[in-house]
């Protein structure tokens, strides 16, 4: 029971990073970036492959972060230098990265990821949770620092459009490169954490993470109004925890009496109910 | 200082929708001068201003700034020199940022932006708050921490002009920045514009929908028609010319009359308001700028004389 709670909590933490990637691209930079699914998969697969080969987990997680940065750079170069449409650019990146993901996953497909070295005191779930907390906390501090800096201000100007950014003397290509790089680094870190928590990695482990991230951002914004950067980040965590809980509820329902084919129905109903409750909060006849 | 040589701008060339917006504009604007562009809707005022700002490229022609050819410079390269305050507010300031953040980012124009230094230091905050207070414009300092997208339009346009001053732009391009405001705000905005521009010696090229406001401010008036400069009224010329004459010249060559005049005269007939100018074909012809012995010296004088002479003032409260 405790292990499953810890596991839900650490999954929510991992998906917070996916949510922050979506927050960065849709809310701050105002760019349609669909690279997320591939970044999560490449992060998870590279981490898994390296750990299976016996590389130190901390070094592996850094390498997977670098691969995430690389995939963000690829999309942003397609958009800003070759002038490909944002959606098409990220779809091209998705398919290009698929090759690398397949290669990495063939190293140890469906082979359990080894446990973190030197964490034998705790149960595997707890050690993954510790890793998740450390990584997510570090990343959040780093992100708050950046978004509140002068550079973060320039990133937010970029979200207002090319004309105003250029007339304020902002290098739009540079902002897009750094912004998507950071965003996809977060997604790749999330992938590495998911691989560690779940203990497995596969080619299609990133599928659906874009939807998860988007749902986390939207639910989070409904629960905590994103008045500043800190509120936005905590909103992402609350949103991803809520979404994960809804998914688990749906799985419970499917496991008990109904068949598992009812999972998606239950999930949809619970999600709509949750949003309906939050939307109508505080509404009523004015006194 | 700014010189345009035979500038042509063609939209959608070689298609059925081809439209020549500017047909060989030649003009010079001196340093520190305030120039007003006047003309019908569709005469090319906005196109000209967008070309100067760098939003549009000329099909043919050259643009010189202090003997440097800047025809091929992009918007971001020109942004150090030119700043625009347009009807579309998003061109002048970033709506997602607060007023203070907008000022801070303007002060970092073309500088290295630190990835670790906090955006608004206490000293910067104090400095920009003081600047906002010195503007003395409809309590704009109270809106310092509001998102620029949420503040009222006149404040947003003043913010855009402050950004231009802070980033050190030499030329201010204004396109209909007071359009759509009530009269009091429009007057306040134009007075603030004059104050900012004069105190910073900025060269200004502006198009204002209601020319009776801008004529009191500007040093020179350039009349455009069908993408060409029709007349160039400066100094003594302009003093001798009433606003009505400008529109006489302009409308003589066009098929349709000056649009706002149409609106005004039709509403005057529907209200059957008798006034001295209702029988005159041109509404502004009774507003001589210098024929009166006490020639208007400042903007508010022009506005007060013109509004007392004008038969209709839209939205008079």
């Amino acid at each position: 029971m405790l292990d499953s709670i810890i596991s839900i909590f650490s999954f929510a933490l991992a998906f917070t990073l996916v949510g922050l990637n979506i927050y960065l691209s849709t809310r701050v930079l105002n760019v349609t970036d669909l690279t997320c699914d591939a970044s999560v998969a490449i992060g998870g697969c590279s981490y898994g492959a390296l750990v299976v080969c016996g590389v130190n987990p901390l070094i592996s997680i850094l390498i997977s972060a670098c691969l995430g940065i690389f995939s963000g750079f690829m999309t942003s170069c397609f958009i800003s230098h070759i002038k490909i449409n944002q959606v098409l650019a990220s779809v091209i990146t998705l398919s290009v990265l698929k090759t690398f993901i397949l290669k990495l996953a063939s190293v140890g497909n469906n082979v359990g990821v080894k446990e973190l070295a030197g964490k034998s005191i705790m149960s595997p779930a707890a050690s993954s949770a510790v890793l998740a907390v450390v990584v997510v906390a570090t990343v959040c501090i780093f992100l708050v620092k950046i978004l509140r800096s002068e550079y973060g201000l320039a990133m937010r100007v970029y979200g207002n459009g090319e004309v105003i950014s250029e007339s304020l003397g902002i290098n739009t290509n540079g902002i897009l490169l750094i912004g998507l790089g950071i965003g996809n680094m977060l997604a790749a870190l999330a992938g590495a954490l998911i691989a560690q928590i779940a203990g497995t990695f596969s080619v299609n482990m990133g599928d659906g993470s874009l939807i998860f991230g988007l749902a986390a951002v939207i639910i989070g914004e409904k629960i905590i109004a994103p008045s500043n950067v800190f509120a936005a980040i905590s909103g992402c965590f609350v949103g991803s925890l809520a979404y994960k809980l809804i998914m688990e509820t749906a799985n419970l329902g499917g496991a008990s009496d109904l068949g598992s084919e009812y999972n998606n129905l239950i999930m949809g109903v619970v999600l709509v109910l949750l949003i309906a409750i939050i939307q109508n909060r505080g509404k009523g006849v004015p006194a | 200082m700014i010189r345009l040589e035979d500038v042509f701008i063609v939209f959608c060339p070689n298609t059925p929708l081809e439209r020549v917006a500017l047909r060989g504009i030649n003009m010079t604007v001196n340093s520190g001068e305030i120039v007003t562009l006047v003309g019908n809707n569709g005469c090319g005022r906005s196109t000209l201003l967008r070309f100067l700002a760098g939003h549009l490229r000329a099909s043919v022609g050259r643009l010189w700034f202090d003997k440097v050819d800047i025809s091929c410079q992009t918007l971001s390269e020109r942004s150090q020199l030119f700043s625009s305050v347009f009807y579309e507010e998003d061109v002048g300031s970033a709506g997602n940022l607060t007023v203070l953040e907008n000022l801070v980012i303007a002060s970092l124009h073309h500088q290295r932006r630190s990835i670790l230094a906090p955006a608004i230091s206490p000293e910067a905050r104090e400095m920009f708050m003081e600047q906002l207070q010195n503007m003395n414009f409809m309590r704009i300092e109270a809106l310092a921490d509001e998102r620029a997208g949420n503040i009222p339009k006149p404040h947003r346009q003043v913010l855009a002009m402050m950004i231009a001053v802070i980033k050190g732009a030499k030329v201010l391009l204004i396109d209909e920045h007071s359009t759509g405001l009530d009269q009091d705000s429009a007057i306040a905005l134009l007075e603030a514009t004059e104050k900012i521009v004069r105190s910073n010696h900025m060269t200004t090229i502006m198009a204002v929908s209601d020319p009776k406001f801008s004529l009191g401010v500007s040093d020179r008036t350039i009349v455009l028609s069908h993408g060409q400069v029709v007349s160039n009224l400066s100094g003594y010329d302009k003093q001798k010319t009433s606003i009505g004459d400008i529109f006489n010249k302009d409308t003589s060559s066009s098929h349709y009359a000056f649009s706002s005049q149409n609106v005004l005269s039709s509403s005057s007939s529907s209200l059957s308001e008798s006034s001295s100018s209702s029988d005159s074909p041109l509404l502004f012809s009774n507003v001589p700028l210098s024929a009166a012995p006490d020639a208007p010296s400042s903007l508010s004088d022009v506005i007060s004389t013109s509004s007392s002479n004008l038969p209709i003032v839209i939205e008079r409260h």
Side-chain angles (χ1 to χ4, degrees), chain B residues 168-243:
Chain B
K170 303 230 167 34
V171 184
L172 191 64
L173 306 167
I174 299 178
D175 187 16
E176 312 253 340
H177 71 327
S178 60
T179 303
L181 297 178
D182 63 282
Q183 204 183 15
D184 292 345
S185 312
I187 292 170
L189 179 58
L190 279 153
E191 278 174 345
T193 308
E194 190 186 11
K195 190 177 125 190
I196 293 170
V197 164
R198 291 287 187 208
S199 60
N200 295 290
H201 306 290
M202 289 171 103
T203 312
T204 306
I205 304 174
M206 66 173 167
V208 176
S209 61
D210 209 342
K212 72 171 189 283
F213 290 139
S214 58
L215 284 183
V217 180
S218 61
D219 301 321
R220 196 145 62 94
T221 301
I222 291 176
V223 184
L224 293 176
S225 177
H226 296 274
Q228 284 174 314
V229 176
V230 183
S231 55
N232 200 327
L233 309 156
S234 65
Y236 184 69
D237 244 357
K238 184 186 135 194
Q239 293 295 309
K240 292 270 282 179
T241 317
S242 72
I243 307 172

Side-chain angles (χ1 to χ4, degrees), chain A residues 27-28 145-154 156-157 159-160 162-164 166-171 175 178 182, chain B residues 55 75-76 79 90-97 101 104-105 108-110 113-119 163 167:
Chain A
R27 299 294 191 262
V28 177
K145 196 87 181 158
I146 283 187
L147 285 178
R148 283 186 177 165
S149 70
E150 294 167 353
Y151 198 82
L153 218 52
R156 285 166 57 205
V157 174
N160 276 263
E162 295 256 328
V163 170
I164 179 66
E166 289 192 3
S167 61
L168 285 170
I170 287 163
N171 173 5
I175 294 274
I178 302 289
I182 293 176
Chain B
H55 301 192
L75 173 58
S76 92
S79 63
D90 282 334
V91 171
S93 54
N96 280 349
L97 273 61
E101 286 168 341
V104 168
I105 200 83
L108 297 170
H109 188 271
H110 273 306
R113 294 171 200 84
S114 160
I115 207 155
L116 292 174
I163 288 174
K167 81 180 186 189

Side-chain angles (χ1 to χ4, degrees), chain A residues 17 27 42 51 88 126 132 164 166 169 177 202 239 250 257:
Chain A
L17 295 183
R27 299 294 191 262
I42 205 165
V51 171
L88 186 60
I164 179 66
E166 289 192 3
L177 191 75
S202 63
D257 296 336

Side-chain angles (χ1 to χ4, degrees), chain A residues 97-255:
Chain A
L97 289 180
K98 196 80 182 175
T99 309
F100 294 97
I101 296 165
L102 282 167
K103 263 283 180 249
L104 287 166
S106 68
V107 173
N109 201 4
N110 293 326
V111 174
V113 176
K114 286 179 190 165
E115 284 167 38
L116 267 174
K119 291 279 182 198
S120 50
I121 319 143
M122 286 178 276
S123 65
S127 71
S128 309
V130 169
L131 183 72
V133 169
V134 169
V135 170
V136 173
T138 319
V139 162
C140 286
I141 291 168
F142 165 74
L143 202 62
V144 170
K145 196 87 181 158
I146 283 187
L147 285 178
R148 283 186 177 165
S149 70
E150 294 167 353
Y151 198 82
L153 218 52
M155 285 168 98
R156 285 166 57 205
V157 174
Y158 182 86
N160 276 263
E162 295 256 328
V163 170
I164 179 66
S165 343
E166 289 192 3
S167 61
L168 285 170
I170 287 163
N171 173 5
T172 48
N173 291 350
I175 294 274
L176 190 69
L177 191 75
I178 302 289
L180 291 191
I182 293 176
N184 287 291
M185 180 194 78
L186 300 182
L189 282 175
L193 290 179
I194 293 163
Q196 171 65 42
I197 297 159
T200 56
F201 62 98
S202 63
V203 183
N204 43 17
M205 65 179 290
D207 294 4
S209 56
L210 181 78
I211 308 289
F212 196 119
L214 201 56
V217 169
I218 292 171
I219 297 173
E221 278 176 353
K222 298 280 178 218
I223 298 175
I224 301 174
S227 51
N228 57 43
V229 179
F230 190 72
I233 288 178
S234 22
C236 270
F237 173 66
V238 173
S240 83
L241 189 63
Y243 195 69
K244 184 71 193 167
L245 284 174
I246 294 167
M247 276 169 84
E248 290 298 319
T249 327
N251 287 343
L252 282 180

